[in-house]
Amino acid sequence: MVADEEPPAGLHELVERQARRAPQAVAVRCGAAELTYGELDARADRLAAHLAASGLAPGGRAAVALGRGTEVYVALLAVLKAGAAFVPLEPTAPDGLLRHVLADAAPDLVLTEERHGDRLADAGAAGRLLCLDGPDLPERGFERPEVAPGDLACVFYTSGSTGLPAGALVEHRNLLAAYAGWREVYGLAPEDRILQTASLEFDVFTADWIRALGSGATLVVTPFNLTLDRTADLGALPALVVQERITVMELNVRTARRLTALLTEGGTGLPGVRLVTVGAEKWYLDEQVALQRLLGDFTRVLNVYGLAEATVDSTWFEVRGTATAEGAERVSLVGRPFPGTRVYVLGPTGAPVATGRVGEIAVAGSGLTRGYLNRPADTARRFVRADFDPDGRVLLTGDLGLLRADGVLEFVGRAATVVGPLGADRATTVTTRVTAAARAEGALRAHPAVREAAVVEVEPTPGQRTLVGYAVPTRGAPEGADGWSLTQYLVTELRGHSAPAAVIPVPELPRTRAGKLDRAALPLPAPPRHTAPRSAKAGGRARGGKAGGTAGGGRREADGSRGCAAAALTPFLAFVAWLLTDRLYPGATDLSAVPTGYHFWFGLLYLCEDLAFGGGLAFLLLGLPALLRQGRSLPLTLLTHVSVFWLLASWWPQDNLYRLTSATDWPRETALVYVFNVPLMLAALVVVVFLFRRPRTAPE
């Protein structure tokens, strides 16, 4: 923007200024087709006049449902020039999504192409369709309406935490403020060539073209859709980057991971690219560091975080020039706010928490939108008053994070719903559960045989929540990447913290249309009865038929070796006890005063006492791994370990001492009761609690 120019009132004015500054500069390019800024602006003016004549009034809404190419940008600008707001709608979206958006947004017009007309008409757009692939539009007189910064510019449909996709109402001032932040942080310039890989329906699509066309750069549209087309060849991306001389690109996390794998295997890199931003999902610090190393110091690699309700991007973190500490595979840093944005971490009461405390991330500032279309309850629930913010209003994101001592925001995880302020007990519970899942996921990712991981809370039966891990093994993963081994690894790694009930190996994590983790499509673990060890008779095939059948040879061999060791150790230790009895308790096993007919039975009692003592010591030495596998808390597991030992081993010293104590020696009798009998009762109670306590796969 030229220094002496007044700030634009409408988003489209950014593009108009670039058209006046450099009309011959290429604005949009897709394959062989391209439009200069002058052509783009002129065609948008003609279409705006046609839209107004077709009934699109200022303040109205028009859905834009066009395929990849140059015409979609003409349509978007034309809607804005007509004083209306655009609703981006992917024409190839599922029928249910098309029907929902068209019914909820109730657009005055639906701009599309002939090939999509019938499907959109069936979805509810009949009578409002305007196909733009017909003859060229004639010149038409048109009085441009004035646009104010607070006028509605677009409606982003986002699933968020509201169930059905909700339309976030984004004003011109929101998008202009977001552009100013991008321009400052990204250093956008007319010399840039910005790659667009996203699909029309996602907010990053709008962010891409605003960044490019607002700064006078060239927007290069990939002919393939990396977001929706799962068969798209990522190997073609580096060649396209070189051919089109790309300097700036944004990727979602899934594509960034694929790109990292491609370059690790010997790809050609991304020469000329000065900025890569990655967002839309949790991206771990070690992944960001790996991509930065592959691309080199010339390229800035940023992890960006934001929501459509706060106009796409709110924070950013750059790894270049930053020292990375140990444990990078367990944290995701999303950095500091963009200019004009404020970020808080709130506690259960809705007030900011201290540094280092986990809470709900809240966003405020000039990017904060009006709320949701036709969703007053959701708007009131997520856009709340906040006395600590200068504007007095913040967006509750439903994401958990913490502010580190250096002021960097760390992303912890996504809550199922908005956390607070909805009551301290509920907010604390949700925070604890999400933190436990994030901790377990970080530990699972750190396993050398795991390429990608997720830990989520599932509810296999109503009211029963449990953590389940999902692991994508590395190629040629060594032994130890099976589900049972990974589950035991987490139990050991997370001592004292909640561990998943099971880890399920999967070839790939399921993804939504946006490329994010599809939690609803993750397989549930099999019931415990289906996860028995593999039978040798079955040729190594698990008897359980579901994805959670993870118990295998490793567990059988470990249990077998410990069982054999305990079986061998018990009689040896019992023999030692028998040898020591007369030395430690002389006369305790003397049967001279016992009638001959009872000698056998008392001798059997003494043998049982010796065997119980030997079994108790063997369990003390070898039994802890079996208890840890049950998934209870570490303190309860250790207490149970000692209790079982005491229940078995204490009979040998106790009975021998009782037999040597006079029935009228009350001080000694009392001491024996409180040294042996009372602890035996308490030990039995501990075992009962252990048996009835649910495994700590999720906090109570």
Side-chain angles (χ1 to χ4, degrees):
M1 188 188 307
V2 180
D4 58 354
E5 287 184 321
E6 292 185 3
L11 177 64
H12 52 285
E13 294 178 23
L14 287 176
V15 184
E16 292 170 348
R17 291 179 179 182
Q18 297 300 335
R20 292 193 296 269
R21 182 188 65 83
Q24 299 305 315
V26 176
V28 184
R29 177 176 170 82
C30 182
E34 64 180 33
L35 289 176
T36 66
Y37 274 92
E39 292 169 336
L40 174 64
D41 191 51
R43 294 181 68 163
D45 280 335
R46 285 198 298 273
L47 181 55
H50 187 67
L51 297 179
S54 301
L56 183 62
R61 291 190 290 270
V64 177
L66 295 166
R68 301 182 77 77
T70 59
E71 291 306 308
V72 63
Y73 308 99
V74 174
L76 293 168
L77 286 172
V79 172
L80 296 175
K81 286 172 177 280
F86 63 84
V87 182
L89 181 61
E90 173 59 45
T92 63
D95 291 340
L97 179 59
L98 292 178
R99 285 193 293 269
H100 170 71
V101 172
L102 290 172
D104 190 63
D108 303 294
L109 292 175
V110 178
L111 313 185
T112 188
E113 302 158 290
E114 289 287 351
R115 59 189 173 126
H116 301 304
D118 290 343
R119 190 158 177 265
L120 289 167
D122 291 342
R128 295 175 286 168
L129 288 173
L130 183 59
C131 295
L132 303 183
D133 50 353
D136 289 343
L137 299 175
E139 292 286 351
R140 192 189 293 263
F142 174 55
E143 183 177 348
R144 285 272 299 274
E146 289 189 6
V147 174
D151 289 346
L152 189 66
C154 68
V155 183
F156 287 144
Y157 272 84
T158 172
S159 56
S161 60
T162 59
L164 284 173
L169 300 169
V170 186
E171 300 169 353
H172 283 269
R173 64 177 183 86
N174 301 137
L175 294 170
L176 290 169
Y179 168 72
W182 290 321
R183 183 185 63 207
E184 179 177 333
V185 174
Y186 296 173
L188 301 174
E191 296 76 27
D192 279 319
R193 296 175 67 85
I194 300 178
L195 187 68
Q196 178 156 79
T197 64
S199 176
L200 170 63
E201 66 185 286
F202 304 122
D203 56 4
V204 70
F205 177 95
T206 298
D208 278 338
W209 72 256
I210 291 175
R211 289 192 282 253
L213 303 183
S215 57
T218 299
L219 181 69
V220 179
V221 183
T222 57
F224 43 84
N225 191 326
L226 290 177
T227 306
L228 297 181
D229 187 359
R230 298 291 188 265
T231 65
D233 180 15
L234 191 68
L237 183 62
L240 178 67
V241 166
V242 173
Q243 177 185 344
E244 294 290 349
R245 308 188 308 281
I246 299 302
T247 63
V248 176
M249 56 192 295
E250 175 151 347
L251 305 172
N252 62 23
V253 170
R254 176 178 179 272
T255 304
R257 286 172 177 158
R258 294 176 62 200
L259 177 63
T260 301
L262 178 69
L263 297 180
T264 302
E265 293 173 359
T268 58
L270 301 176
V273 175
R274 66 172 187 83
L275 176 67
V276 174
T277 62
V278 179
E281 199 176 13
K282 188 174 185 178
W283 197 36
Y284 285 88
L285 181 57
D286 66 316
E287 297 176 302
Q288 187 177 1
V289 170
L291 185 56
Q292 178 71 73
R293 288 173 178 167
L294 289 167
L295 297 180
D297 289 339
F298 174 77
T299 306
R300 299 173 64 197
V301 177
L302 272 57
N303 185 8
V304 295
Y305 164 79
L307 285 77
E309 296 91 334
T311 318
V312 190
D313 293 329
S314 297
T315 68
W316 61 282
F317 178 75
E318 182 172 4
V319 73
R320 187 177 65 174
T322 303
T324 55
E326 184 179 354
E329 71 279 359
R330 302 183 184 222
V331 298
S332 175
L333 302 182
V334 292
R336 305 177 188 278
F338 278 86
T341 301
R342 297 178 295 279
V343 175
Y344 306 95
V345 176
L346 307 183
T349 62
V353 298
T355 299
R357 292 283 302 277
V358 176
E360 182 169 12
I361 300 173
V363 178
S366 51
L368 208 59
T369 60
R370 293 184 191 176
Y372 298 112
L373 178 66
N374 303 325
R375 302 279 188 96
D378 289 328
T379 299
R381 183 168 60 94
R382 299 197 64 184
F383 295 82
V384 300
R385 291 181 56 83
D387 294 337
F388 51 83
D389 182 75
D391 295 337
R393 182 172 177 261
V394 300
L395 167 69
L396 301 178
T397 64
D399 294 325
L400 299 185
L402 63 89
L403 282 173
R404 295 153 60 106
D406 57 2
V408 170
L409 179 65
E410 178 181 334
F411 181 89
V412 173
R414 176 79 184 160
T417 58
V418 172
V419 177
L422 299 175
D425 292 342
R426 178 184 175 278
T428 301
T429 300
V430 172
T431 300
T432 303
R433 294 206 311 261
V434 175
T435 303
R439 182 186 298 111
E441 183 174 300
L444 185 56
R445 287 192 72 254
H447 193 286
V450 174
R451 172 167 58 89
E452 195 174 354
V455 173
V456 302
E457 189 180 61
V458 302
E459 195 169 359
T461 57
Q464 178 189 358
R465 293 192 177 106
T466 185
L467 289 181
V468 177
Y470 301 87
V472 180
T474 57
R475 292 183 182 178
E479 187 176 352
D482 62 279
W484 184 85
S485 298
L486 292 174
T487 303
Q488 302 318 303
Y489 160 79
L490 286 182
V491 170
T492 303
E493 191 74 10
L494 297 170
R495 288 189 176 186
H497 297 291
S498 300
V503 175
I504 303 175
V506 292
E508 292 290 341
L509 294 175
R511 298 286 171 181
T512 65
R513 285 173 51 79
K516 299 180 182 180
L517 177 67
D518 188 352
R519 296 168 182 264
L522 289 167
L524 290 175
R529 65 180 181 276
H530 290 164
T531 59
R534 293 185 180 94
S535 168
K537 185 177 179 180
R541 294 181 60 185
R543 291 193 292 267
K546 294 189 179 181
T550 57
R555 174 178 177 176
R556 181 189 63 191
E557 292 172 7
D559 287 349
S561 61
R562 291 193 186 93
C564 290
L569 193 59
T570 295
F572 171 75
L573 294 173
F575 178 71
V576 172
W578 178 75
L579 290 176
L580 292 176
T581 299
D582 285 340
R583 289 179 176 271
L584 297 177
Y585 313 106
T589 56
D590 181 11
L591 297 178
S592 59
V594 178
T596 305
Y598 292 94
H599 281 198
F600 170 79
W601 299 109
F602 278 92
L604 181 61
L605 170 65
Y606 302 155
L607 175 63
C608 290
E609 290 172 354
D610 294 339
L611 287 172
F613 179 77
L617 281 180
F619 184 81
L620 183 67
L621 296 173
L622 301 172
L624 183 58
L627 290 180
L628 287 172
R629 191 168 60 245
Q630 307 310 310
R632 273 67 168 187
S633 68
L634 183 61
L636 178 59
T637 299
L638 294 176
L639 194 58
T640 303
H641 185 218
V642 175
S643 296
V644 173
F645 158 72
W646 189 249
L647 284 168
L648 290 170
S650 66
W651 293 102
W652 177 67
Q654 173 189 254
D655 279 9
N656 283 311
L657 288 171
Y658 268 124
R659 286 191 289 268
L660 296 175
T661 301
S662 169
T664 59
D665 188 348
W666 298 114
R668 186 180 174 99
E669 289 278 357
T670 303
L672 289 175
V673 166
Y674 281 94
V675 170
F676 290 101
N677 295 70
V678 172
L680 280 171
M681 299 174 196
L682 295 176
L685 181 62
V686 169
V687 173
V688 170
V689 171
F690 183 88
L691 292 174
F692 283 91
R693 175 68 59 88
R694 284 174 50 195
R696 283 198 62 188
T697 54
E700 297 295 340

